Amino acid sequence: MQIATPYLMFLGDVPDRLAAKTAYGINDWRPEWCVGQVRMEGCAADLGIPDLTLAQAVEHGCKTMVIGVANAGGVLPEHWVAEIVSALEAGLDVASGLHVRLGSIPRIAEAAERNGRALHDVRHTTETFPTGKGTKRSGRRLLTVGTDCSVGKKYTALALEKGMRARGLDADFRATGQTGVFISGRGVAIDAVVADFISGAVEWVSPAADPGHWDLIEGQGSLFHPSFAGVSLGLLHGAQADAFVVCHEPTRTRMRGVEASLPSIREVIDLTIRCGRLTNPAIRAVGIAVNTESLSEPQARTLLQEAEAAHGLPATDPVRFGVEAILDRLAAEFPA
Amino acid sequence: MQIATPYLMFLGDVPDRLAAKTAYGINDWRPEWCVGQVRMEGCAADLGIPDLTLAQAVEHGCKTMVIGVANAGGVLPEHWVAEIVSALEAGLDVASGLHVRLGSIPRIAEAAERNGRALHDVRHTTETFPTGKGTKRSGRRLLTVGTDCSVGKKYTALALEKGMRARGLDADFRATGQTGVFISGRGVAIDAVVADFISGAVEWVSPAADPGHWDLIEGQGSLFHPSFAGVSLGLLHGAQADAFVVCHEPTRTRMRGVEASLPSIREVIDLTIRCGRLTNPAIRAVGIAVNTESLSEPQARTLLQEAEAAHGLPATDPVRFGVEAILDRLAAEFPA
């Protein structure tokens, strides 16, 4: 999936900020792509960027209208359909993170066809990939892995990309989830791929590159999550990670959505190395990223120091303290 | 997917036995369901069961015509379409293992609709399952795992089912691949499921059962196969296996279809236990099944004795020497 940029951000008439979480994430990480927003009567979200008509958006060079919002009940409201059709008629592609497929709505499918515009349903993949081969690709790859789902794997990969680019390194974030796909304009929601093609899809997401190039690959799930470990393992094998960062949320007592207890950081490091060696015998841990939002700053610093000492790895909260410590370790372990 | 039995076996006009491999597999394991066959002019396959017209098949109680054959080029030949339409008009459901979806062919879709018959595409799953929960289910479960793909996992699970039933035990083969689904009349081709639902689909395939009941779950791929390990891990977690049998093919030098080298039986045992503990802390190996087809009988016996000594587990070739040794071990480890 390759989404043309820049974007016009469609916010509809969502009742709160949370319903536009994806749109905020895109705007946080790719402000240069978010040229303007479309808000309808009653919209409670505001990205703080110009409100544009469809005609103005086209004038400003927008290529794709992005539906980065959740709608209640899974049904696309009639006034959203009309706006999407108008966007297609104005010459924009439309990309959606909704559960419902844009192409399943006849008026939208017809308007896309009639105007020769693309529809992207980021949650769904109709594309079939080759199966993974496990053959070594050139370029360097870092994967973020987790003790659980939703512990900061996307954020950490994006923060590493930003930090590497600031150091003048050649680095690209590689998306494996829907918000990530919008942020990178490319990628696959890996959990929506047919099971046989998980690692093959990741090989496609992170293709061969220059030897000094870094892909920062967004992880999904956890090898220890009973619902999603298969996705995490296929992702690890497809990524052929040279390096990985373990992401962790210290207040969680159960794996998200299930009864299983959380693995330790040590268990995650050990199993990631053991399984990752299949496609990259030199795989190694290079850091720990902890979401310390619920801790005071002294508590957070203590916890991170303890993790550093226990594992011999730089430990940080990317949001609170940045990722320089991990980048320093990477620079030392992988000289240019 | 639940396929009504018994079956009328459609062989079309396949040019050789190999193209009807699935049909032979079904007839080998479920002869009581294979009431008759339909062979067209030039058909080179013959299951050795009565040739029936569609009307005769209905008279004999057939419920489903099974397309257990491969067609060249992925396109359904016109004379097959006509026969499938006739079967639907005669009152049969149709189940297919072809790549092409039956419902994607308008004449077939219309005939099914008009006659109120079901179409089953065993290679495809449109069904979405709940995500796996990892919560302990009652009943006992054995999973066949492998050092590679195509090393006898289905055969071993079926042989164990047969042997257990012969001992009067309450046991069911649980299918996770297309031939297996035809053989059990139920199940899911797990590699065709959307990645997020692998373990959830397996929880559906092998539901809670009586405490003494055994499910013999067909494994897929290998935790060491760079293309398919994600499927194997999700399957292991969803199966919550109490016991597993390692299947092996001793002459293979590379993993099927890729460059990766084969893991040892020891590595497979260790990683299966380590990962399987997540959803069943008591998981243990109970046997080794080796395909010794390419070895002389003395060679085979020597190899199996060595494997027994090395791993402290009964080792057998289920085709050549049966599975009694594994059943004895199971009976000892899991008293009724």
Side-chain angles (χ1 to χ4, degrees):
Chain A
M1 197 167 313
Q2 188 104 28
I3 305 172
T5 60
Y7 299 152
L8 174 65
M9 304 300 290
F10 175 86
L11 300 182
D13 51 358
V14 292
D16 52 35
R17 259 185 77 105
L18 190 64
K21 192 178 64 161
T22 299
Y24 281 96
I26 301 166
N27 191 51
D28 284 348
W29 289 101
R30 293 294 183 261
E32 69 278 18
W33 287 356
C34 297
V35 173
Q37 62 186 357
V38 171
R39 298 188 301 152
M40 296 177 146
E41 176 89 24
C43 182
D46 183 353
L47 299 176
I49 59 177
D51 290 292
L52 299 180
T53 65
L54 295 170
Q56 289 170 331
V58 172
E59 256 171 54
H60 283 73
C62 285
K63 295 282 184 288
T64 302
M65 184 166 86
V66 169
I67 323 274
V69 287
N71 63 321
V75 179
L76 209 54
E78 172 55 32
H79 54 295
W80 289 22
V81 173
E83 187 74 11
I84 292 168
V85 168
S86 298
L88 293 163
E89 313 234 310
L92 296 169
D93 292 344
V94 178
S96 156
L98 299 169
H99 274 289
V100 58
R101 287 171 203 258
L102 292 173
S104 72
I105 296 158
R107 285 175 58 205
I108 294 176
E110 283 157 26
E113 173 76 25
R114 196 168 56 240
N115 295 283
R117 306 315 319 164
L119 299 175
H120 302 286
D121 286 301
V122 172
R123 267 183 205 269
H124 303 282
T125 314
T126 47
E127 201 162 347
T128 51
F129 302 91
T131 54
K133 289 296 165 221
T135 314
K136 185 85 181 96
R137 313 194 286 291
S138 63
R140 288 167 170 173
R141 289 173 184 81
L142 180 148
L143 175 68
T144 52
V145 303
T147 51
D148 196 0
C149 303
S150 306
V151 289
K153 291 184 286 282
K154 178 177 77 252
Y155 191 100
T156 300
L158 283 161
L160 289 167
E161 180 200 52
K162 193 173 181 179
M164 282 185 154
R165 288 180 172 183
R167 291 185 178 200
L169 296 168
D170 183 17
D172 285 308
F173 168 75
R174 297 299 189 184
T176 62
Q178 63 154 331
T179 302
V181 171
F182 286 127
I183 291 172
S184 73
R186 187 181 173 280
V188 179
I190 214 76
D191 56 8
V193 166
V194 167
D196 243 4
F197 304 102
I198 304 171
S199 61
V202 179
E203 293 184 1
W204 177 88
V205 162
S206 174
D210 287 342
H213 176 88
W214 276 99
D215 271 348
L216 290 319
I217 304 175
E218 176 191 8
Q220 295 292 335
S222 166
L223 288 176
F224 292 87
H225 197 295
S227 310
F228 309 120
V231 173
S232 306
L233 184 60
L235 179 41
L236 175 61
H237 286 158
Q240 300 181 356
D242 301 284
F244 65 92
V245 172
V246 180
C247 303
H248 181 59
E249 207 281 79
T251 63
R252 211 165 285 181
T253 56
R254 296 273 166 223
M255 302 293 277
R256 194 178 162 89
V258 295
E259 289 170 26
S261 56
L262 234 63
S264 67
I265 290 172
R266 169 58 56 205
E267 287 176 298
V268 172
I269 292 173
D270 289 349
L271 192 58
T272 301
I273 290 173
R274 178 153 178 188
C275 293
R277 276 184 182 146
L278 183 71
T279 57
N280 191 335
I283 185 172
R284 69 191 90 166
V286 294
I288 299 165
V290 184
N291 177 348
T292 64
E293 198 178 1
S294 59
L295 306 180
S296 70
E297 189 169 326
Q299 284 175 323
R301 290 200 185 275
T302 303
L303 183 144
L304 293 171
Q305 279 159 15
E306 285 169 1
E308 291 206 1
H311 302 291
L313 293 169
T316 184
D317 179 332
V319 178
R320 208 168 197 168
F321 306 120
V323 293
E324 293 304 309
I326 297 174
L327 293 175
D328 291 343
R329 171 65 69 104
L330 265 180
E333 298 244 356
F334 298 90
Chain B
M1 195 167 314
Q2 187 104 30
I3 305 173
T5 59
Y7 299 152
L8 173 66
M9 304 301 291
F10 174 85
L11 300 182
D13 50 359
V14 292
D16 52 35
R17 258 186 78 106
L18 190 65
K21 192 177 64 158
T22 299
Y24 282 94
I26 301 166
N27 191 50
D28 285 347
W29 289 102
R30 293 292 183 263
E32 69 277 19
W33 288 355
C34 298
V35 172
Q37 61 187 0
V38 171
R39 297 187 302 151
M40 296 177 145
E41 177 88 26
C43 182
D46 183 354
L47 299 175
I49 58 177
D51 290 291
L52 299 181
T53 64
L54 295 170
Q56 289 170 331
V58 171
E59 255 171 55
H60 283 72
C62 285
K63 295 281 184 288
T64 302
M65 184 166 87
V66 169
I67 323 274
V69 287
N71 62 320
V75 179
L76 209 54
E78 173 55 31
H79 54 295
W80 289 22
V81 173
E83 187 73 10
I84 291 167
V85 167
S86 299
L88 293 163
E89 312 228 308
L92 296 169
D93 292 345
V94 177
S96 158
L98 298 169
H99 274 290
V100 58
R101 287 172 202 256
L102 293 173
S104 72
I105 297 158
R107 285 175 57 205
I108 294 176
E110 283 155 25
E113 174 76 26
R114 197 169 54 241
N115 294 284
R117 305 317 317 164
L119 299 175
H120 302 287
D121 286 301
V122 171
R123 267 182 205 270
H124 303 281
T125 313
T126 46
E127 202 162 347
T128 52
F129 301 91
T131 54
K133 290 297 165 219
T135 314
K136 186 83 182 94
R137 313 194 287 291
S138 63
R140 287 167 169 171
R141 290 174 183 79
L142 181 148
L143 175 69
T144 53
V145 304
T147 52
D148 195 0
C149 303
S150 307
V151 291
K153 291 184 285 285
K154 179 177 76 251
Y155 191 100
T156 301
L158 283 161
L160 289 168
E161 179 200 52
K162 193 173 181 179
M164 282 184 155
R165 288 182 171 182
R167 291 184 178 201
L169 296 169
D170 183 16
D172 285 308
F173 169 75
R174 296 300 189 184
T176 63
Q178 64 154 332
T179 302
V181 171
F182 286 128
I183 291 172
S184 74
R186 187 181 174 281
V188 178
I190 213 77
D191 56 7
V193 166
V194 167
D196 242 3
F197 304 102
I198 304 171
S199 61
V202 179
E203 293 184 359
W204 177 87
V205 162
S206 173
D210 286 342
H213 176 88
W214 276 99
D215 270 349
L216 290 320
I217 304 175
E218 177 191 8
Q220 294 293 334
S222 165
L223 287 176
F224 292 87
H225 198 295
S227 310
F228 309 120
V231 174
S232 307
L233 183 60
L235 179 41
L236 175 60
H237 286 159
Q240 301 181 356
D242 300 284
F244 65 93
V245 171
V246 180
C247 302
H248 181 60
E249 207 283 76
T251 63
R252 213 165 283 183
T253 56
R254 296 271 167 224
M255 301 292 278
R256 193 175 162 91
V258 295
E259 290 170 26
S261 57
L262 234 63
S264 66
I265 290 172
R266 169 57 58 204
E267 287 175 298
V268 172
I269 292 173
D270 288 349
L271 192 59
T272 301
I273 290 174
R274 178 151 179 190
C275 293
R277 277 185 181 146
L278 184 70
T279 57
N280 191 336
I283 186 172
R284 69 191 89 165
V286 295
I288 298 165
V290 184
N291 177 347
T292 64
E293 197 177 2
S294 59
L295 306 180
S296 69
E297 187 168 327
Q299 283 175 322
R301 290 197 185 276
T302 302
L303 184 144
L304 293 171
Q305 277 159 14
E306 285 169 1
E308 290 207 359
H311 303 290
L313 292 170
T316 185
D317 179 333
V319 178
R320 208 166 197 170
F321 306 120
V323 292
E324 293 303 309
I326 296 175
L327 293 176
D328 290 344
R329 171 66 69 105
L330 265 180
E333 297 245 356
F334 298 89

